[in-house]
Amino acid sequence: MASSAPTPTPTLDDLWASDRARVSVVVAATPKPGVDFATARDALLAVRWDERSLEWHSTRRGPRDSAAAAAPDDDDAFVVEAVGSCLASGGDESSVAPRVAALAAARFDDAELVVSAPCHVPFLEVRDGVDDPRVRVAAAALLEKEESQGDDARARAVAAFAELGLAASRRRCVASEDLARLTRAATRRMAAAERAMATRHGSVRFGEDAFAFREMGSRGGQRFDLLFPREGEEEEEGGGGGAGEGGGESPQGTAFTTRTGSYGNQSGLERDERDGGDGGEGDAAFVRAFARRAPWVRALVDPILSPPPLSSSSSSSANSASPRRTWWCDVSIVYSKPGARAQDWHCDGRHLAGAARANHAGVGASPPYAICVFVPLVDLNGEVGFTQFWAGSHKADALIGFGSAAEVLRGGVDGKGASYFHTGSRTTPFAS
């Protein structure tokens, strides 16, 4: 009779090792007086922790405190910031900082763990917001006519956009007549939607209750997301609004469509949608057409979502090419009423299931599958507020709950020209 060897009983070390996971760590180390940046950086990078597979991915010079931030080149007021990753369990990655302070004590007075996260942590410092040179390179593609840009300039803009996950500009890149037409379309649709809500769902306390219909949903308090219909949806039979009424989250359904086959029975929302009021062209049709011809389409959207086809190397079809990928878009109005609270950090799109994720060094993510475009229809200022973005956060999908790290790491961009912060998915940066 054959016998098998007994399965060894796992030791505590074995059990602990199986529970380890790689996490990202950002450490800030304060050099001793007289130690220059290059010497301090090299000392930090020399710190090892083989049992935890510690790896350093990038370093940079940072301000020692808020006063030093105003003088970033002061040789006596800097810290060495480094992002790395290691195996950890139960939060003990915090031991990395004292390890740096102990093993490089000849160079540093102190070291602290600034951020730890279960995924890649964006480490892009954006000092001047939308005026940062990298943001301006990406935005240049929106401001210059296609024929005036060389291939190198277009490639630099796309590369900067892919790295930062955003492009923004203070200069207007939408023609005045288009902006006016978009504003009228948005104003009409908002008014029609709110009339339909009052008529069909009067028990919903607009601006207080959470609700979610096919066309419109609340985003917390006095903030709303209102979709324009896709092509062909205006012709769909509605028949009765399948969404519930009252407070709380409503099931997905149609709130406004009341068509029963005759134009006279359409809701005010649909009549405004069809009649538009500008030369007979419906608002939804105009907005969809604009989304297809906007200046950022050829400059940034097509190169990323619909790159040129690759030539086939097959001997039987040497001159053929693979088909160009196509894309579609949804268009919505995101609007807030006076008294709306500031949003928490969030991302506007999840990573696709099964798509490759970036490793802790920020390498290896699948190409983007979507791009979000924000077109302000009102002048933005401190009273109205700005949308904030965390540069580089599109490469990670586990940063929800880590929005405050963006401010600590000086990685954010908004319209104020300063470093503010957001988070994001692989498709778009996080926003707040």
Side-chain angles (χ1 to χ4, degrees):
M1 179 180 295
S3 63
S4 58
T7 302
T9 301
T11 65
L12 290 178
D13 286 342
D14 292 333
L15 293 173
W16 180 86
S18 67
D19 189 44
R20 290 184 298 177
R22 183 163 288 275
V23 300
S24 290
V25 292
V26 178
V27 173
T30 305
K32 290 182 176 297
V35 176
D36 60 51
F37 173 75
T39 301
R41 177 197 60 205
D42 292 346
L44 189 151
L45 293 176
V47 173
R48 310 291 300 174
W49 197 357
D50 293 336
E51 295 84 357
R52 298 298 186 88
S53 188
L54 174 64
E55 299 177 3
W56 297 111
H57 304 307
S58 183
T59 61
R60 69 186 185 195
R61 179 190 182 112
R64 183 170 295 190
D65 50 37
S66 58
D73 297 323
D74 187 342
D75 288 337
D76 295 321
F78 73 91
V79 296
V80 178
E81 297 174 334
V83 59
S85 62
C86 67
L87 297 175
S89 178
D92 59 2
E93 67 273 11
S94 59
S95 299
V96 172
R99 189 174 186 87
V100 169
L103 296 183
R107 303 299 185 189
F108 295 109
D109 281 333
D110 192 17
E112 64 172 330
L113 181 69
V114 179
V115 174
S116 66
C119 61
H120 164 65
V121 173
F123 201 58
L124 297 172
E125 182 175 15
V126 185
R127 288 190 179 183
D128 300 313
V130 295
D131 297 318
D132 183 272
R134 291 164 299 179
V135 177
R136 296 179 66 178
V137 166
L142 311 178
L143 303 171
E144 302 295 335
K145 293 182 177 179
E146 181 76 15
E147 58 270 18
S148 68
Q149 296 186 64
D151 290 342
D152 289 345
R154 285 193 292 268
R156 286 195 299 272
V158 172
F161 183 48
E163 177 192 14
L164 296 172
L166 62 92
S169 175
R170 295 183 187 277
R171 292 171 55 191
R172 177 178 293 179
C173 58
V174 176
S176 297
E177 57 270 24
D178 284 337
L179 191 62
R181 180 72 170 86
L182 292 169
T183 302
R184 291 195 296 273
T187 301
R188 276 193 289 268
R189 187 154 179 83
M190 289 187 293
E194 293 185 19
R195 286 197 303 269
M197 284 292 297
T199 301
R200 293 179 56 79
H201 300 282
S203 63
V204 175
R205 295 172 299 174
F206 198 77
E208 298 181 39
D209 293 338
F211 62 88
F213 299 111
R214 186 182 68 181
E215 302 94 338
M216 187 180 194
S218 59
R219 302 187 68 175
Q222 299 287 345
R223 182 174 283 105
F224 310 95
D225 198 343
L226 174 61
L227 279 168
F228 280 98
R230 295 181 187 174
E231 186 173 4
E233 285 187 347
E234 300 96 327
E235 302 302 324
E236 292 180 358
E237 294 294 330
E245 298 186 10
E249 192 72 6
S250 302
Q252 291 294 335
T254 173
F256 312 129
T257 305
T258 60
R259 289 194 61 191
T260 59
S262 68
Y263 182 70
N265 287 333
Q266 285 184 315
S267 67
L269 183 68
E270 287 185 307
R271 289 196 297 275
D272 285 350
E273 202 67 67
R274 181 182 289 272
D275 291 338
D278 288 272
E281 182 183 22
D283 287 341
F286 174 82
V287 170
R288 289 194 303 264
F290 172 81
R292 286 284 180 179
R293 64 173 172 80
W296 46 81
V297 171
R298 292 186 66 184
L300 296 175
V301 175
D302 276 346
I304 289 180
L305 297 186
S306 185
L310 300 174
S311 297
S312 173
S313 59
S314 171
S315 59
S316 62
S317 56
N319 295 322
S320 67
S322 58
R324 193 180 182 97
R325 291 186 300 178
T326 59
W327 53 267
W328 56 270
C329 65
D330 280 331
V331 183
S332 66
I333 307 163
V334 178
Y335 71 102
S336 302
K337 290 179 172 292
R341 299 184 302 273
Q343 283 186 296
D344 293 329
W345 291 86
H346 64 278
C347 59
D348 287 343
R350 300 291 181 179
H351 288 229
L352 292 179
R357 270 53 174 167
N359 62 19
H360 285 77
V363 176
S366 294
Y369 71 90
I371 294 171
C372 290
V373 180
F374 296 85
V375 182
L377 299 182
V378 298
D379 292 334
L380 301 181
N381 53 44
E383 182 178 358
V384 172
F386 298 87
T387 298
Q388 303 172 326
F389 299 93
W390 187 357
S393 59
H394 60 302
K395 295 182 179 181
D397 67 343
L399 287 172
I400 295 296
F402 290 86
S404 59
E407 183 170 359
V408 172
L409 298 177
R410 307 182 303 283
V413 177
D414 71 5
K416 288 180 278 192
S419 292
Y420 288 86
F421 325 93
H422 235 86
T423 59
S425 74
R426 179 168 49 86
T427 63
T428 56
F430 276 104
S432 71

